[in-house]
Amino acid sequence: MRTSPAGIVCVWPFINLLYRSNGLSDAQIGVLAALKPWTSAPSSFLWSGLADRLSAHKAIMLATFITSTPTRAGVSLAHSFWAFVVLAVAGEVLAAPVGVMADAAVVAACKRDIDYGKSRLWGAIGWGSLS
């Protein structure tokens, strides 16, 4: 879930409790947890490849970020296993390239190799302070 780092830190650690409160079994919760890497990894490559092919990195990053936000928010409205599956897969497919493309943009903007580490450090500090 890369929609908003603050939202991820505050909500995502408790997503399994949302699933449980909607009556999902341990096996169903496990399936939902397993869907993330199985959908986000290939999606990252596909979206990034499309952005490279079309030279539309900014447009694709913004479009996937914007469309992943309501999809991710929709998880709170779902009440069945299949609704959670659809929203989880759609959310991962749409959100997957955002982090990859943002990292690539940061690397491209860095003047020295050490600048990337400094940028990532502040992201980690922000993440840690919110969690």
Side-chain angles (χ1 to χ4, degrees), residues 2 44 48 57 61 95-110 115-121 123-124:
R2 291 191 168 122
S44 293
S48 299
H57 297 88
M61 186 173 84
V98 175
V100 173
M101 290 182 172
D103 274 346
V106 169
V107 168
C110 291
D115 292 342
Y116 177 76
K118 289 178 182 178
S119 296
R120 295 297 292 167
L121 170 68

PDB file of all heavy atoms in Angstrom, residues 2 44 48 57 61 95-110 115-121 123-124:
ATOM      1  N   ARG A   2       1.030   1.841  -1.135  1.00  0.00           N
ATOM      2  CA  ARG A   2       1.904   2.994  -1.229  1.00  0.00           C
ATOM      3  C   ARG A   2       1.126   4.274  -1.505  1.00  0.00           C
ATOM      4  O   ARG A   2       1.655   5.218  -2.039  1.00  0.00           O
ATOM      5  CB  ARG A   2       2.910   2.785  -2.346  1.00  0.00           C
ATOM      6  CG  ARG A   2       3.876   1.723  -2.000  1.00  0.00           C
ATOM      7  CD  ARG A   2       4.993   1.727  -2.994  1.00  0.00           C
ATOM      8  NE  ARG A   2       6.033   0.899  -2.481  1.00  0.00           N
ATOM      9  CZ  ARG A   2       6.513  -0.150  -3.095  1.00  0.00           C
ATOM     10  NH1 ARG A   2       6.035  -0.484  -4.253  1.00  0.00           N
ATOM     11  NH2 ARG A   2       7.470  -0.852  -2.559  1.00  0.00           N
ATOM     12  N   SER A  44       4.758  -3.847 -11.151  1.00  0.00           N
ATOM     13  CA  SER A  44       5.811  -2.825 -11.150  1.00  0.00           C
ATOM     14  C   SER A  44       6.604  -2.869 -12.446  1.00  0.00           C
ATOM     15  O   SER A  44       6.879  -1.831 -13.056  1.00  0.00           O
ATOM     16  CB  SER A  44       6.774  -3.036  -9.976  1.00  0.00           C
ATOM     17  OG  SER A  44       6.134  -2.814  -8.764  1.00  0.00           O
ATOM     18  N   SER A  48       6.329   0.068 -15.279  1.00  0.00           N
ATOM     19  CA  SER A  48       7.603   0.756 -15.532  1.00  0.00           C
ATOM     20  C   SER A  48       8.048   0.569 -16.980  1.00  0.00           C
ATOM     21  O   SER A  48       8.552   1.500 -17.609  1.00  0.00           O
ATOM     22  CB  SER A  48       8.687   0.247 -14.578  1.00  0.00           C
ATOM     23  OG  SER A  48       8.313   0.512 -13.250  1.00  0.00           O
ATOM     24  N   HIS A  57       6.743   8.724 -17.904  1.00  0.00           N
ATOM     25  CA  HIS A  57       6.940   8.335 -16.505  1.00  0.00           C
ATOM     26  C   HIS A  57       6.071   9.138 -15.550  1.00  0.00           C
ATOM     27  O   HIS A  57       5.397   8.573 -14.683  1.00  0.00           O
ATOM     28  CB  HIS A  57       8.418   8.472 -16.127  1.00  0.00           C
ATOM     29  CG  HIS A  57       9.289   7.571 -16.922  1.00  0.00           C
ATOM     30  ND1 HIS A  57       9.819   7.951 -18.140  1.00  0.00           N
ATOM     31  CD2 HIS A  57       9.703   6.301 -16.697  1.00  0.00           C
ATOM     32  CE1 HIS A  57      10.525   6.950 -18.629  1.00  0.00           C
ATOM     33  NE2 HIS A  57      10.479   5.937 -17.769  1.00  0.00           N
ATOM     34  N   MET A  61       2.999   7.559 -13.429  1.00  0.00           N
ATOM     35  CA  MET A  61       3.120   7.568 -11.972  1.00  0.00           C
ATOM     36  C   MET A  61       1.934   8.308 -11.343  1.00  0.00           C
ATOM     37  O   MET A  61       1.325   7.812 -10.396  1.00  0.00           O
ATOM     38  CB  MET A  61       4.428   8.207 -11.527  1.00  0.00           C
ATOM     39  CG  MET A  61       4.633   8.097 -10.027  1.00  0.00           C
ATOM     40  SD  MET A  61       6.240   8.661  -9.486  1.00  0.00           S
ATOM     41  CE  MET A  61       5.956  10.397  -9.343  1.00  0.00           C
ATOM     42  N   ALA A  95      -0.982   0.615  -7.559  1.00  0.00           N
ATOM     43  CA  ALA A  95      -0.019   1.299  -6.688  1.00  0.00           C
ATOM     44  C   ALA A  95       1.414   0.806  -6.874  1.00  0.00           C
ATOM     45  O   ALA A  95       2.357   1.499  -6.484  1.00  0.00           O
ATOM     46  CB  ALA A  95      -0.426   1.129  -5.231  1.00  0.00           C
ATOM     47  N   ALA A  96       1.585  -0.347  -7.476  1.00  0.00           N
ATOM     48  CA  ALA A  96       2.910  -0.964  -7.569  1.00  0.00           C
ATOM     49  C   ALA A  96       3.988  -0.083  -8.192  1.00  0.00           C
ATOM     50  O   ALA A  96       5.100  -0.024  -7.677  1.00  0.00           O
ATOM     51  CB  ALA A  96       2.811  -2.290  -8.321  1.00  0.00           C
ATOM     52  N   PRO A  97       3.723   0.630  -9.281  1.00  0.00           N
ATOM     53  CA  PRO A  97       4.821   1.379  -9.905  1.00  0.00           C
ATOM     54  C   PRO A  97       5.162   2.689  -9.204  1.00  0.00           C
ATOM     55  O   PRO A  97       6.202   3.279  -9.480  1.00  0.00           O
ATOM     56  CB  PRO A  97       4.302   1.652 -11.311  1.00  0.00           C
ATOM     57  CG  PRO A  97       2.829   1.751 -11.137  1.00  0.00           C
ATOM     58  CD  PRO A  97       2.505   0.713 -10.089  1.00  0.00           C
ATOM     59  N   VAL A  98       4.320   3.146  -8.309  1.00  0.00           N
ATOM     60  CA  VAL A  98       4.525   4.466  -7.718  1.00  0.00           C
ATOM     61  C   VAL A  98       5.855   4.552  -6.973  1.00  0.00           C
ATOM     62  O   VAL A  98       6.652   5.461  -7.196  1.00  0.00           O
ATOM     63  CB  VAL A  98       3.342   4.852  -6.803  1.00  0.00           C
ATOM     64  CG1 VAL A  98       3.611   6.172  -6.102  1.00  0.00           C
ATOM     65  CG2 VAL A  98       2.053   4.928  -7.612  1.00  0.00           C
ATOM     66  N   GLY A  99       6.127   3.606  -6.102  1.00  0.00           N
ATOM     67  CA  GLY A  99       7.377   3.622  -5.348  1.00  0.00           C
ATOM     68  C   GLY A  99       8.597   3.454  -6.230  1.00  0.00           C
ATOM     69  O   GLY A  99       9.611   4.140  -6.049  1.00  0.00           O
ATOM     70  N   VAL A 100       8.500   2.570  -7.209  1.00  0.00           N
ATOM     71  CA  VAL A 100       9.614   2.327  -8.122  1.00  0.00           C
ATOM     72  C   VAL A 100       9.925   3.579  -8.927  1.00  0.00           C
ATOM     73  O   VAL A 100      11.083   3.988  -9.055  1.00  0.00           O
ATOM     74  CB  VAL A 100       9.287   1.139  -9.062  1.00  0.00           C
ATOM     75  CG1 VAL A 100      10.351   0.967 -10.125  1.00  0.00           C
ATOM     76  CG2 VAL A 100       9.088  -0.138  -8.267  1.00  0.00           C
ATOM     77  N   MET A 101       8.896   4.200  -9.463  1.00  0.00           N
ATOM     78  CA  MET A 101       9.101   5.394 -10.276  1.00  0.00           C
ATOM     79  C   MET A 101       9.527   6.593  -9.433  1.00  0.00           C
ATOM     80  O   MET A 101      10.324   7.421  -9.886  1.00  0.00           O
ATOM     81  CB  MET A 101       7.843   5.716 -11.069  1.00  0.00           C
ATOM     82  CG  MET A 101       7.566   4.719 -12.154  1.00  0.00           C
ATOM     83  SD  MET A 101       6.104   5.218 -13.058  1.00  0.00           S
ATOM     84  CE  MET A 101       6.147   4.053 -14.384  1.00  0.00           C
ATOM     85  N   ALA A 102       9.018   6.692  -8.225  1.00  0.00           N
ATOM     86  CA  ALA A 102       9.447   7.780  -7.341  1.00  0.00           C
ATOM     87  C   ALA A 102      10.924   7.622  -6.991  1.00  0.00           C
ATOM     88  O   ALA A 102      11.675   8.606  -6.992  1.00  0.00           O
ATOM     89  CB  ALA A 102       8.591   7.803  -6.082  1.00  0.00           C
ATOM     90  N   ASP A 103      11.344   6.398  -6.695  1.00  0.00           N
ATOM     91  CA  ASP A 103      12.768   6.158  -6.421  1.00  0.00           C
ATOM     92  C   ASP A 103      13.627   6.510  -7.635  1.00  0.00           C
ATOM     93  O   ASP A 103      14.694   7.104  -7.495  1.00  0.00           O
ATOM     94  CB  ASP A 103      13.015   4.702  -6.024  1.00  0.00           C
ATOM     95  CG  ASP A 103      12.803   4.456  -4.543  1.00  0.00           C
ATOM     96  OD1 ASP A 103      12.724   5.443  -3.777  1.00  0.00           O
ATOM     97  OD2 ASP A 103      12.736   3.287  -4.151  1.00  0.00           O
ATOM     98  N   ALA A 104      13.174   6.139  -8.818  1.00  0.00           N
ATOM     99  CA  ALA A 104      13.929   6.459 -10.038  1.00  0.00           C
ATOM    100  C   ALA A 104      14.028   7.965 -10.233  1.00  0.00           C
ATOM    101  O   ALA A 104      15.074   8.483 -10.636  1.00  0.00           O
ATOM    102  CB  ALA A 104      13.266   5.808 -11.249  1.00  0.00           C
ATOM    103  N   ALA A 105      12.953   8.686  -9.921  1.00  0.00           N
ATOM    104  CA  ALA A 105      12.979  10.143 -10.045  1.00  0.00           C
ATOM    105  C   ALA A 105      13.942  10.764  -9.039  1.00  0.00           C
ATOM    106  O   ALA A 105      14.661  11.720  -9.364  1.00  0.00           O
ATOM    107  CB  ALA A 105      11.576  10.712  -9.853  1.00  0.00           C
ATOM    108  N   VAL A 106      13.988  10.217  -7.836  1.00  0.00           N
ATOM    109  CA  VAL A 106      14.917  10.724  -6.819  1.00  0.00           C
ATOM    110  C   VAL A 106      16.352  10.484  -7.258  1.00  0.00           C
ATOM    111  O   VAL A 106      17.206  11.368  -7.155  1.00  0.00           O
ATOM    112  CB  VAL A 106      14.629  10.091  -5.441  1.00  0.00           C
ATOM    113  CG1 VAL A 106      15.742  10.407  -4.443  1.00  0.00           C
ATOM    114  CG2 VAL A 106      13.295  10.564  -4.903  1.00  0.00           C
ATOM    115  N   VAL A 107      16.629   9.280  -7.754  1.00  0.00           N
ATOM    116  CA  VAL A 107      17.984   8.969  -8.229  1.00  0.00           C
ATOM    117  C   VAL A 107      18.375   9.924  -9.359  1.00  0.00           C
ATOM    118  O   VAL A 107      19.495  10.452  -9.387  1.00  0.00           O
ATOM    119  CB  VAL A 107      18.093   7.502  -8.695  1.00  0.00           C
ATOM    120  CG1 VAL A 107      19.379   7.253  -9.448  1.00  0.00           C
ATOM    121  CG2 VAL A 107      17.987   6.564  -7.503  1.00  0.00           C
ATOM    122  N   ALA A 108      17.463  10.157 -10.277  1.00  0.00           N
ATOM    123  CA  ALA A 108      17.759  11.055 -11.401  1.00  0.00           C
ATOM    124  C   ALA A 108      18.005  12.485 -10.936  1.00  0.00           C
ATOM    125  O   ALA A 108      18.792  13.214 -11.548  1.00  0.00           O
ATOM    126  CB  ALA A 108      16.611  11.022 -12.407  1.00  0.00           C
ATOM    127  N   ALA A 109      17.347  12.893  -9.855  1.00  0.00           N
ATOM    128  CA  ALA A 109      17.501  14.263  -9.353  1.00  0.00           C
ATOM    129  C   ALA A 109      18.750  14.452  -8.499  1.00  0.00           C
ATOM    130  O   ALA A 109      19.160  15.591  -8.273  1.00  0.00           O
ATOM    131  CB  ALA A 109      16.267  14.655  -8.545  1.00  0.00           C
ATOM    132  N   CYS A 110      19.347  13.364  -8.047  1.00  0.00           N
ATOM    133  CA  CYS A 110      20.531  13.462  -7.186  1.00  0.00           C
ATOM    134  C   CYS A 110      21.756  13.877  -7.988  1.00  0.00           C
ATOM    135  O   CYS A 110      22.008  13.349  -9.065  1.00  0.00           O
ATOM    136  CB  CYS A 110      20.801  12.121  -6.509  1.00  0.00           C
ATOM    137  SG  CYS A 110      19.557  11.678  -5.295  1.00  0.00           S
ATOM    138  N   ASP A 115      23.551  11.632  -2.156  1.00  0.00           N
ATOM    139  CA  ASP A 115      22.286  12.355  -2.022  1.00  0.00           C
ATOM    140  C   ASP A 115      21.088  11.416  -1.950  1.00  0.00           C
ATOM    141  O   ASP A 115      20.111  11.695  -1.258  1.00  0.00           O
ATOM    142  CB  ASP A 115      22.106  13.341  -3.182  1.00  0.00           C
ATOM    143  CG  ASP A 115      23.095  14.490  -3.132  1.00  0.00           C
ATOM    144  OD1 ASP A 115      23.678  14.729  -2.060  1.00  0.00           O
ATOM    145  OD2 ASP A 115      23.285  15.141  -4.178  1.00  0.00           O
ATOM    146  N   TYR A 116      21.131  10.304  -2.666  1.00  0.00           N
ATOM    147  CA  TYR A 116      20.022   9.352  -2.640  1.00  0.00           C
ATOM    148  C   TYR A 116      19.853   8.789  -1.235  1.00  0.00           C
ATOM    149  O   TYR A 116      18.738   8.715  -0.721  1.00  0.00           O
ATOM    150  CB  TYR A 116      20.246   8.217  -3.642  1.00  0.00           C
ATOM    151  CG  TYR A 116      19.155   7.179  -3.590  1.00  0.00           C
ATOM    152  CD1 TYR A 116      17.912   7.435  -4.150  1.00  0.00           C
ATOM    153  CD2 TYR A 116      19.360   5.953  -2.968  1.00  0.00           C
ATOM    154  CE1 TYR A 116      16.895   6.504  -4.096  1.00  0.00           C
ATOM    155  CE2 TYR A 116      18.352   5.009  -2.908  1.00  0.00           C
ATOM    156  CZ  TYR A 116      17.124   5.286  -3.481  1.00  0.00           C
ATOM    157  OH  TYR A 116      16.120   4.361  -3.409  1.00  0.00           O
ATOM    158  N   GLY A 117      20.943   8.416  -0.605  1.00  0.00           N
ATOM    159  CA  GLY A 117      20.878   7.883   0.753  1.00  0.00           C
ATOM    160  C   GLY A 117      20.314   8.892   1.731  1.00  0.00           C
ATOM    161  O   GLY A 117      19.546   8.541   2.628  1.00  0.00           O
ATOM    162  N   LYS A 118      20.670  10.146   1.562  1.00  0.00           N
ATOM    163  CA  LYS A 118      20.135  11.193   2.430  1.00  0.00           C
ATOM    164  C   LYS A 118      18.625  11.337   2.240  1.00  0.00           C
ATOM    165  O   LYS A 118      17.880  11.506   3.211  1.00  0.00           O
ATOM    166  CB  LYS A 118      20.831  12.521   2.157  1.00  0.00           C
ATOM    167  CG  LYS A 118      22.259  12.567   2.637  1.00  0.00           C
ATOM    168  CD  LYS A 118      22.902  13.904   2.296  1.00  0.00           C
ATOM    169  CE  LYS A 118      24.345  13.945   2.737  1.00  0.00           C
ATOM    170  NZ  LYS A 118      24.992  15.213   2.362  1.00  0.00           N
ATOM    171  N   SER A 119      18.179  11.272   1.007  1.00  0.00           N
ATOM    172  CA  SER A 119      16.742  11.370   0.739  1.00  0.00           C
ATOM    173  C   SER A 119      15.994  10.198   1.359  1.00  0.00           C
ATOM    174  O   SER A 119      14.939  10.370   1.972  1.00  0.00           O
ATOM    175  CB  SER A 119      16.479  11.400  -0.765  1.00  0.00           C
ATOM    176  OG  SER A 119      17.027  12.548  -1.334  1.00  0.00           O
ATOM    177  N   ARG A 120      16.526   9.010   1.201  1.00  0.00           N
ATOM    178  CA  ARG A 120      15.887   7.821   1.767  1.00  0.00           C
ATOM    179  C   ARG A 120      15.911   7.848   3.288  1.00  0.00           C
ATOM    180  O   ARG A 120      14.987   7.364   3.931  1.00  0.00           O
ATOM    181  CB  ARG A 120      16.564   6.560   1.247  1.00  0.00           C
ATOM    182  CG  ARG A 120      16.411   6.339  -0.235  1.00  0.00           C
ATOM    183  CD  ARG A 120      14.982   6.137  -0.647  1.00  0.00           C
ATOM    184  NE  ARG A 120      14.502   4.877  -0.117  1.00  0.00           N
ATOM    185  CZ  ARG A 120      13.234   4.506  -0.077  1.00  0.00           C
ATOM    186  NH1 ARG A 120      12.309   5.301  -0.532  1.00  0.00           N
ATOM    187  NH2 ARG A 120      12.883   3.358   0.426  1.00  0.00           N
ATOM    188  N   LEU A 121      16.960   8.423   3.851  1.00  0.00           N
ATOM    189  CA  LEU A 121      17.049   8.539   5.304  1.00  0.00           C
ATOM    190  C   LEU A 121      15.869   9.333   5.846  1.00  0.00           C
ATOM    191  O   LEU A 121      15.233   8.925   6.816  1.00  0.00           O
ATOM    192  CB  LEU A 121      18.361   9.202   5.710  1.00  0.00           C
ATOM    193  CG  LEU A 121      18.462   9.587   7.189  1.00  0.00           C
ATOM    194  CD1 LEU A 121      18.516   8.332   8.051  1.00  0.00           C
ATOM    195  CD2 LEU A 121      19.672  10.460   7.435  1.00  0.00           C
ATOM    196  N   GLY A 123      12.972   9.747   4.516  1.00  0.00           N
ATOM    197  CA  GLY A 123      11.759   8.933   4.379  1.00  0.00           C
ATOM    198  C   GLY A 123      11.641   7.924   5.515  1.00  0.00           C
ATOM    199  O   GLY A 123      10.569   7.717   6.070  1.00  0.00           O
ATOM    200  N   ALA A 124      12.755   7.308   5.873  1.00  0.00           N
ATOM    201  CA  ALA A 124      12.753   6.338   6.976  1.00  0.00           C
ATOM    202  C   ALA A 124      12.457   7.022   8.307  1.00  0.00           C
ATOM    203  O   ALA A 124      11.752   6.468   9.160  1.00  0.00           O
ATOM    204  CB  ALA A 124      14.098   5.614   7.032  1.00  0.00           C
TER     205      ALA A 124
END
